[in-house]
Amino acid sequence: MFGRSLYAVFAVVALTATATACGGGGGQDTYDSVVDKAKNDKKLVIGVKADQPGLGLRTPDGGFSGFDIEIAKYVAKSLGVEAKDITFKETVSANREAFLQQGQVDMVVATYSITDARKQKVSFAGPYFVAGQDLLVRADDTALTGPDTLNGKKLCSVAGSTPAQKVKESYAKQVQLQEERTYSACVDRVLGGQLDAITTDNVILAGYAAQHTGKLKLVGKPFSTEKYGIGLKKDDSAGRKAVNEALSTMFADGSWKKALESSFGGAGFTVPEAPKLEQY
């Protein structure tokens, strides 16, 4: 009995050591770069949004669809990982840095704006898209043509965000601000006529316009700049270089434009020129 028990202990220790060596946490914490993780494991865990139509949306079958998802698949394939070997992990704005720092994900593709403050915690490749703050209104509304036409109107944005306050401070001091928990709630109230417009990044609004073709439209006059990047572990210079090379190829071979068009068809969204990648 003693011999069997001792054998069981050794077996458990061996299995634990193997799991640790293989990065059992599912992230890249045991690798210096996402390049090494992709090369050695042929698998990646990628953080994405799950509630943004056209960008990152969980589908009824449990999968994910949208522009960010197509970006992630293309980049992963360039690193040697097929789509079937990607694990998409839902991430929200508040936990993106933590997921990368803890090794819970290998990269983040989730409308992740590049900022100097965030660069102190993670590395960025990209940008793969440059968004701008815009307005979403009812399709038959001809009065709202920009942020300066919102005086006396009811404007919606999500709680904790700054776009609506920016409109009030810089463009329309008499605008009536309304906060909802989600953009979907804002959409419902604009469709119902209780509110007049929604404001956030144009590409996010375009997803909702595509969901409600003929009922909602983008005003199409962006008034800010948001550079979406791919988040990587801090100081992963090899990963940043490899991902930027993948994005450069995606811009050049037409895949980037195709992904945008397929994700936002029917939204009245004009596909812009591909952005200039930042090297640092």
Side-chain angles (χ1 to χ4, degrees):
M1 289 294 294
F2 175 77
R4 290 179 183 175
S5 299
L6 189 60
Y7 176 82
V9 170
F10 282 134
V12 170
V13 171
L15 284 170
T16 302
T18 300
T20 301
C22 292
Q28 64 177 39
D29 48 318
T30 57
Y31 294 98
D32 291 331
S33 173
V34 68
V35 175
D36 299 326
K37 169 73 185 292
K39 180 180 179 181
N40 293 322
D41 288 6
K42 298 298 181 184
K43 294 180 179 180
L44 287 173
V45 181
I46 302 178
V48 296
K49 291 291 182 69
D51 61 347
Q52 293 182 339
L55 288 162
L57 186 68
R58 192 185 300 276
T59 55
D61 63 359
F64 290 84
S65 67
F67 178 60
D68 280 357
I69 308 305
E70 295 307 310
I71 293 287
K73 289 178 180 178
Y74 191 101
V75 169
K77 187 172 179 62
S78 75
L79 297 177
V81 177
E82 298 296 328
K84 65 180 178 62
D85 295 316
I86 299 171
T87 298
F88 288 113
K89 184 179 180 70
E90 181 178 353
T91 181
V92 297
S93 298
N95 64 21
R96 289 174 297 198
E97 285 90 11
F99 275 15
L100 285 166
Q101 291 168 335
Q102 296 165 6
Q104 292 194 45
V105 298
D106 302 306
M107 65 175 69
V108 170
V109 189
T111 57
Y112 201 4
S113 294
I114 301 171
T115 67
D116 289 339
R118 287 171 177 164
K119 283 181 181 178
Q120 302 303 310
K121 300 177 182 178
V122 302
S123 290
F124 282 103
Y128 63 89
F129 189 83
V130 178
Q133 187 177 341
D134 206 338
L135 303 174
L136 187 69
V137 301
R138 287 182 290 278
D140 59 358
D141 191 325
T142 57
L144 294 179
T145 57
D148 54 344
T149 63
L150 283 165
N151 279 309
K153 301 293 185 178
K154 297 177 181 179
L155 177 66
C156 193
S157 194
V158 297
S161 66
T162 59
Q165 191 61 41
K166 179 179 180 179
V167 169
K168 187 176 181 68
E169 292 174 354
S170 303
Y171 296 97
K173 296 189 183 302
Q174 278 74 50
V175 68
Q176 299 175 48
L177 302 185
Q178 175 69 51
E179 285 191 340
E180 294 288 348
R181 191 178 66 84
T182 65
Y183 286 116
S184 296
C186 287
V187 168
D188 290 341
R189 298 198 68 190
V190 170
L191 286 171
Q194 295 92 8
L195 301 176
D196 299 298
I198 308 164
T199 189
T200 188
D201 295 351
N202 55 357
V203 70
I204 295 174
L205 296 176
Y208 290 108
Q211 270 195 332
H212 301 279
T213 304
K215 296 181 179 180
L216 296 173
K217 68 179 180 181
L218 276 171
V219 167
K221 292 185 179 178
F223 47 97
S224 74
T225 299
E226 299 290 339
K227 298 177 180 179
Y228 293 169
I230 295 179
L232 301 166
K233 187 173 68 172
K234 178 68 174 170
D235 297 326
D236 183 1
S237 57
R240 189 168 63 246
K241 181 175 184 293
V243 173
N244 273 339
E245 288 174 353
L247 290 174
S248 181
T249 302
M250 191 177 189
F251 296 164
D253 68 11
S255 299
W256 180 83
K257 181 179 180 181
K258 181 180 179 181
L260 267 177
E261 290 174 338
S262 64
S263 298
F264 297 103
F269 182 70
T270 302
V271 175
E273 293 294 319
K276 182 180 180 180
L277 297 173
E278 296 182 356
Q279 308 292 339
Y280 69 95

